[in-house]
Amino acid sequence: MTATSSGDGRSQTELVVNEIAQELRTLEDGVAWFSGLPSASRREVLRQVGGYVMQAHITSADGRAGVARSGVKPTANPSVMICMDPPRYGFSGLPADEHVKAFRVLVSVFVVADTRRRQTYCKGICGHSWHNLTSMPAGPEQA
């Protein structure tokens, strides 16, 4: 399994993160997938998920709520970075021993922000393929 391809044009990262956001996969399953990747792939995933978080237009409340649900201490580097105003990115530049914490924080913050956006901006009219995974065929590389 790779971090970047699912066989149907969607990135594996996109699929995993959105499955977590839509409760089709647990955060722990996502962490297990992430932890099994080589170091270079983990850095790339952190860059991608950081991009998803930026696109979700997180608020400071999203950051705090995401950190709370992540299981990572609020004083850990990734938690502090995401809760700054404005949030700091560059999670892929953190030391390797902080990558799992960074993944947990980024995905958890994304879940909060994306859920908020699906319930407001996209409610009843959403055409985003990544918001409709239950109607999409799963990629062949499910973890």
Side-chain angles (χ1 to χ4, degrees), residues 5-137:
S5 70
S6 64
D8 63 359
R10 289 179 280 153
S11 87
Q12 188 66 26
T13 303
E14 177 185 355
L15 183 63
V16 169
V17 170
N18 280 288
E19 284 178 345
I20 294 168
Q22 294 173 48
E23 299 181 341
L24 301 173
R25 181 187 300 242
T26 67
L27 178 58
E28 297 311 318
D29 289 341
V31 168
W33 168 79
F34 178 78
S35 296
L37 297 173
S39 180
S41 294
R42 286 194 302 268
R43 288 186 189 282
E44 178 57 28
V45 166
L46 291 175
R47 276 191 287 279
Q48 288 177 352
V49 180
Y52 303 161
V53 169
M54 287 176 51
Q55 289 174 346
H57 303 286
I58 66 167
T59 65
S60 56
D62 294 338
R64 290 187 303 274
V67 167
R69 77 179 277 142
S70 74
V72 176
K73 291 181 182 180
T75 56
N77 284 334
S79 300
V80 171
M81 290 169 67
I82 204 70
C83 288
M84 294 177 95
D85 188 19
R88 301 299 186 266
Y89 295 96
F91 294 89
S92 63
L94 289 169
D97 65 341
E98 299 225 28
H99 286 177
V100 169
K101 288 185 238 176
F103 180 80
R104 292 181 74 88
V105 166
L106 284 170
V107 171
S108 296
V109 171
F110 175 78
V111 168
V112 170
D114 192 61
T115 299
R116 174 181 47 79
R117 291 177 64 83
R118 278 186 282 117
Q119 293 172 347
T120 56
Y121 300 107
C122 288
K123 188 171 185 162
I125 59 165
C126 187
H128 298 122
S129 62
W130 59 89
H131 282 166
N132 297 293
L133 292 180
T134 57
S135 63
M136 296 174 65

